[in-house]
Amino acid sequence: MSTTIYVPCDSSAISLGADRVAAAIAYEAEKRGIAIQLIRNGSRGLFWLEPLVEVVTGKGRVGYGPVQVSDVPGLFDAAFLQGEPHHRSLGLIEELDYLKKQQRLTFARIGKTDPVNLDEYVINDGYRGLTNALSMAPQDIVKHVTDSGLRGRGGAAFPTGIKWNTVLNTPDEQKYIVCNADEGDSGTFSDRMVMEGDPFVLIEGMTIAGLAVGATQGYIYLRVEYPHAHAALNTAIEKAYQADYLGNNIQSSGKKFDLEVRLGAGAYICGEETSLMESLEGKRGLVRFKPPLPAISGLFGKPTVINNVISLASVPIILDKGGDYYRNFGMGRSRGTLPVQLAGNIKYPGLVELAFGLTLRELLYDFGGGSATGRPIRAVQVGGPLGAYLPESQFDTLVDYEAFAGIWAVLGHGGIVVFDDTVDMAEMARYSMEFCAIESCGKCTPCRIGSTRGYEVIDDIINGRDVNKNIPLLRDLCDTLLNGSLCALGGMTPYPVLSALNHFPEDFGISDKANAA
Amino acid sequence: MTEPGIMLSTVQDITTALKDKPGALLPILHGVQDALGYIPVDSIPHIAKALNLSRAEVHGVISFYHYFRDTPPGKHTIHLCRAESCQSRGSKQLENHVKNKLAIDFHETTPDGKFSLEPVYCLGNCACSPAMQIGNEIYGRVSPDLFDNAINELRELA
Ligand SMILES: Cc1cc2nc3c(=O)[nH]c(=O)nc-3n(C[C@H](O)[C@H](O)[C@H](O)COP(=O)(O)O)c2cc1C
Ligand code: SF4
Ligand code: FES
Ligand code: FES
């Protein structure tokens, strides 16, 4: 019998050489006349070990990593096909602490399976949620989602069930399900891992959403920076059509749902839901005034559910195991699990899915192992480019939406970017203003003009010009942005800027915190 | 540069195939840029006519999106990540190295037409920062040496 070997097709693994390693393994096996079955899986999300090769043995899947092309002949010599030791051996993959300590609900399959193999998806609990949903009334599907306590994972944390209920109760002959796959937040990659590593779970989640609210057309708005996710989604969608999981008669139920991927074009603002819908309609991505809510008048003026990839990919397990099952994870009003992404200057970067409620410190040190450079961690930015910078004194904050709001910070899409003590926080604040200026849709003056003024003022501060006059000016500008912006791009740029100023005044040339106020 | 005739028939084919999709403009612009590398100014009247839009509207959409370009790119487009995670791993130093090595700034193309350099704000490869993309190829933990090797390989190919 031939041995099964897994080499990830995840784009981060590829960026570290996974394609070349896969080719080298195939070549070496052929040269030695050994029959192998080489499967490209998603990534387990342990990126310091990528490319991570797994071999199926009688005891389980044995890992080797990080593997480079030059390691491949040696791995064969050491009989890695029998799971034998080698200096790259990691032992049984499921026994690795980093994985074992996680609670993977949304990411249950990712890294285990061939992402675009529909049979494998079904064998591994796929489409169980849809099967249940097909026998339920729309109200009952929505009720499970409401009961689960799921809140939007795209950033705003709005309860998903409430949103769906509004669309369900807004009659129209045409409604839409839109998946926000713009994943513009720096420091985040969980959407990408789902789309590359388990695209069927997103397709299933969107199909269930369609049944729940009476929508027959779905769009995935995908950022153009993700070509591998694009390919995986298109392949999976085609297979789902062939097997009647999409189309006019889903699993002989008489229910219809069509799905198409549309590409963005490099505009961060198009992740904002109304801008995204403008873009889908073929326009400039200008943010719309709300109301009307997208749930009532969204894409092409029709009732529209718009949800993040992770929100939608969490729906199948909720419909499979019930809303209460999901709700039993988490704390307070943050229910279920959050796939956290550890990024930046961190020793063990990766994907950590856990119930809400552990501390930032546990993530940074117990999982992340501290900084990659070995220097002290000085600041972390949580929640993307509009998220606050947290100093060491806030590392005991719980991963919980309300706990973060309590310290004027956000969890957002769950990205955590780590900086060591070489970071210059005034430079980071300047970058936040510059980013706002580059990505502003241009609709409001504070965001369009104020952001440019903002980085000019910070330039002056960095150069030591009139610091005593310029600090209050910067604060005034932030006030104007906070209060005078239509959307969170302008409205939240003050989070990283002011948190940098308040927690790290010394980087702005202010000697004590009192003067920074 | 593409021959004007070929350019127009390509644009015509793409527009005809996609114009009846709801919200067809972005798919058409992607189609044109995929085929030609950029969206020639001369193609705008055709696209506008097919979709019943004004030229100004089409131009406005093209200019809104960073990814769309109306000038031909170099043979290889390098997208270098400038966002926070990559900054935490030295992307600013890398950016200086890249600009020196290619002797161009962002939004420019080398005089030999081989490389264009564009900034990008996160590639979703933040667990392997600093990151860049050349064409569809993604690179992680990019050091100046790794960058030089990648560029030299592509130079030899072309
Ligand atoms: C500037 C800006 C950028 C955003 N980018 C994204 C994004 O890339 N992905 C996303 O899912 N939500 C993004 N959002 C949030 C969306 O507006 C919206 O809240 C989300 O798509 C709703 O889905 P959810 O409830 O499932 O989170 C962004 C919001 C703003 C203001
Ligand atoms: S805050 Fe900025 S991005 Fe948001 S609507 Fe206003 S101008 Fe556009
Ligand atoms: S044109 Fe603005 S980033 Fe390239
Ligand atoms: S911040 Fe550079 S890849 Fe995400």
Side-chain angles (χ1 to χ4, degrees):
Chain A
M1 233 189 71
S2 75
T3 309
T4 304
I5 303 179
Y6 289 91
V7 182
C9 61
D10 173 276
S11 52
S12 278
I14 291 175
S15 84
L16 301 174
D19 281 349
R20 290 192 300 274
V21 169
I25 290 175
Y27 171 82
E28 197 68 27
E30 174 147 4
K31 200 171 89 182
R32 297 178 186 227
I34 303 171
I36 59 163
Q37 194 193 5
L38 184 68
I39 297 177
R40 304 302 298 270
N41 55 336
S43 171
R44 301 270 186 173
L46 282 57
F47 289 108
W48 73 98
L49 297 176
E50 293 287 2
L52 198 171
V53 175
E54 293 177 42
V55 177
V56 178
T57 73
K59 295 198 202 75
R61 281 160 70 160
V62 177
Y64 299 85
V67 173
Q68 287 304 314
V69 169
S70 54
D71 296 321
V72 171
L75 281 165
F76 275 87
D77 292 342
F80 85 127
L81 291 177
Q82 281 76 51
E84 293 299 322
H86 177 271
H87 71 278
R88 299 282 187 216
S89 294
L90 304 164
L92 290 174
I93 199 84
E94 312 258 355
E95 295 301 317
L96 292 178
D97 254 6
Y98 202 88
L99 270 178
K100 223 176 156 179
K101 289 192 297 190
Q102 298 195 32
Q103 292 157 305
R104 290 200 164 182
L105 304 185
T106 309
F107 276 67
R109 263 174 308 269
I110 298 181
K112 294 185 183 165
T113 53
D114 172 352
V116 292
N117 184 325
L118 180 54
D119 295 333
E120 253 195 275
Y121 180 69
V122 173
I123 289 167
N124 289 284
D125 298 339
Y127 277 124
R128 289 166 59 114
L130 179 73
T131 306
N132 289 342
L134 281 169
S135 66
M136 291 163 72
Q139 289 76 5
D140 296 331
I141 304 176
V142 174
K143 186 166 185 307
H144 271 291
V145 175
T146 309
D147 289 348
S148 74
L150 176 67
R151 290 163 72 181
R153 302 289 189 241
F158 187 81
T160 305
I162 294 180
K163 188 184 280 187
W164 288 23
N165 204 43
T166 308
V167 178
L168 171 63
N169 293 323
T170 308
D172 208 308
E173 70 276 17
Q174 180 71 64
K175 302 181 189 180
Y176 295 104
I177 308 296
V178 175
C179 172
N180 189 339
D182 201 48
E183 194 160 67
D185 285 1
S186 49
T188 72
F189 43 82
S190 59
D191 294 350
R192 180 183 64 65
M193 286 184 69
V194 166
M195 294 184 285
E196 292 177 356
D198 198 14
F200 288 115
V201 81
L202 174 59
I203 297 170
E204 181 181 354
M206 292 184 73
T207 310
I208 294 170
L211 295 174
V213 304
T216 53
Q217 175 69 50
Y219 291 104
I220 299 172
Y221 185 89
L222 175 68
R223 67 198 307 248
V224 68
E225 292 84 352
Y226 283 180
H228 291 93
H230 190 203
L233 285 170
N234 278 338
T235 306
I237 287 172
E238 197 185 313
K239 292 192 178 178
Y241 269 107
Q242 281 164 7
D244 284 331
Y245 282 107
L246 286 172
N248 285 327
N249 188 10
I250 295 170
Q251 300 299 297
S252 314
S253 64
K255 300 272 169 49
K256 171 180 153 85
F257 191 70
D258 286 310
L259 185 55
E260 188 183 328
V261 181
R262 289 291 178 90
L263 288 181
Y268 176 73
I269 194 58
C270 288
E272 192 282 335
E273 56 188 18
T274 64
S275 164
L276 187 156
M277 289 185 294
E278 290 287 301
S279 182
L280 267 180
E281 291 177 12
K283 304 177 195 152
R284 297 156 64 90
L286 295 183
V287 172
R288 295 177 185 169
F289 289 99
K290 281 192 274 194
L293 291 174
I296 290 167
S297 175
L299 183 62
F300 301 111
K302 299 294 181 186
T304 302
V305 165
I306 177 160
N307 274 128
N308 170 255
V309 173
I310 300 295
S311 313
L312 288 162
S314 300
V315 166
I317 193 166
I318 291 170
L319 267 291
D320 175 13
K321 304 206 167 168
D324 289 341
Y325 173 84
Y326 191 80
R327 182 185 200 85
N328 278 334
F329 294 86
M331 65 168 286
R333 291 176 49 223
S334 304
R335 310 309 315 178
T337 57
L338 182 69
V340 167
Q341 300 120 90
L342 294 177
N345 193 337
I346 189 150
K347 194 166 175 198
Y348 303 127
L351 189 287
V352 180
E353 181 178 355
L354 275 172
F356 289 90
L358 81 167
T359 66
L360 188 54
R361 193 182 299 279
E362 289 171 282
L363 284 167
L364 295 174
Y365 295 97
D366 295 355
F367 282 92
S371 77
T373 44
R375 304 181 67 96
I377 295 179
R378 181 155 182 251
V380 300
Q381 186 179 34
V382 183
L386 308 176
Y389 284 99
L390 278 60
E392 155 91 38
S393 61
Q394 293 182 328
F395 289 177
D396 292 311
T397 310
L398 296 178
V399 174
D400 164 59
Y401 294 117
E402 279 64 43
F404 267 70
I407 57 163
W408 208 64
V410 290
L411 274 179
H413 187 46
I416 299 180
V417 177
V418 178
F419 295 83
D420 72 12
D421 62 353
T422 60
V423 68
D424 180 339
M425 295 307 294
E427 289 288 347
M428 298 317 296
R430 184 201 185 278
Y431 170 81
S432 298
M433 283 291 192
E434 186 193 357
F435 180 73
C436 181
I438 292 167
E439 298 297 338
S440 169
C441 84
K443 199 154 172 164
C444 353
T445 318
C447 172
R448 193 180 66 236
I449 313 277
S451 52
T452 302
R453 191 73 195 97
Y455 70 73
E456 289 168 356
V457 171
I458 300 177
D459 274 340
D460 282 345
I461 295 171
I462 290 172
N463 292 319
R465 275 193 290 269
D466 284 335
V467 173
N468 289 334
K469 199 186 92 217
N470 278 318
I471 295 283
L473 187 59
L474 179 59
R475 289 187 179 279
D476 276 354
L477 264 170
C478 284
D479 261 0
T480 313
L481 278 169
L482 274 166
N483 300 312
S485 305
L486 180 58
C487 86
L489 179 52
M492 284 179 61
T493 293
Y495 276 63
V497 174
L498 290 180
S499 58
L501 177 59
N502 292 337
H503 298 306
F504 307 94
E506 60 277 19
D507 289 15
F508 294 75
I510 308 164
S511 49
D512 62 286
K513 291 206 182 197
N515 272 338
Chain B
M1 277 263 230
T2 336
E3 297 278 324
I6 300 176
M7 185 279 276
L8 283 186
S9 73
T10 306
V11 171
Q12 218 75 283
D13 288 349
I14 292 166
T15 312
T16 311
L18 298 174
K19 72 177 174 34
D20 295 323
K21 273 180 181 288
L25 184 51
L26 262 73
I28 289 173
L29 295 177
H30 272 296
V32 172
Q33 185 155 313
D34 280 352
L36 303 175
Y38 70 114
I39 301 163
V41 178
D42 294 343
S43 69
I44 293 177
H46 300 270
I47 298 170
K49 189 160 167 249
L51 296 181
N52 270 325
L53 296 169
S54 71
R55 293 174 194 197
E57 282 170 309
V58 175
H59 176 78
V61 170
I62 295 170
S63 63
F64 183 85
Y65 294 95
H66 299 311
Y67 177 79
F68 293 136
R69 52 184 305 148
D70 57 12
T71 54
K75 192 162 175 17
H76 307 282
T77 300
I78 302 164
H79 279 105
L80 195 63
C81 181
R82 286 193 69 208
E84 288 90 340
S85 174
C86 290
Q87 289 183 45
S88 81
R89 301 296 280 138
S91 66
K92 279 194 179 169
Q93 290 87 319
L94 178 66
E95 181 182 321
N96 288 336
H97 173 83
V98 167
K99 288 176 176 174
N100 279 329
K101 173 91 185 174
L102 299 175
I104 53 173
D105 206 335
F106 281 133
H107 308 298
E108 292 180 355
T109 300
T110 50
D112 64 2
K114 291 255 164 70
F115 300 103
S116 294
L117 183 62
E118 293 290 334
V120 68
Y121 298 89
C122 192
L123 290 164
N125 199 22
C126 335
C128 311
S129 291
M132 71 172 175
Q133 228 176 4
I134 305 182
N136 271 349
E137 197 77 26
I138 181 147
Y139 298 79
R141 294 188 209 133
V142 183
S143 62
D145 278 350
L146 191 152
F147 175 81
D148 291 353
N149 290 338
I151 292 302
N152 292 339
E153 257 177 51
L154 290 171
R155 275 228 168 91
E156 276 162 29
L157 279 180

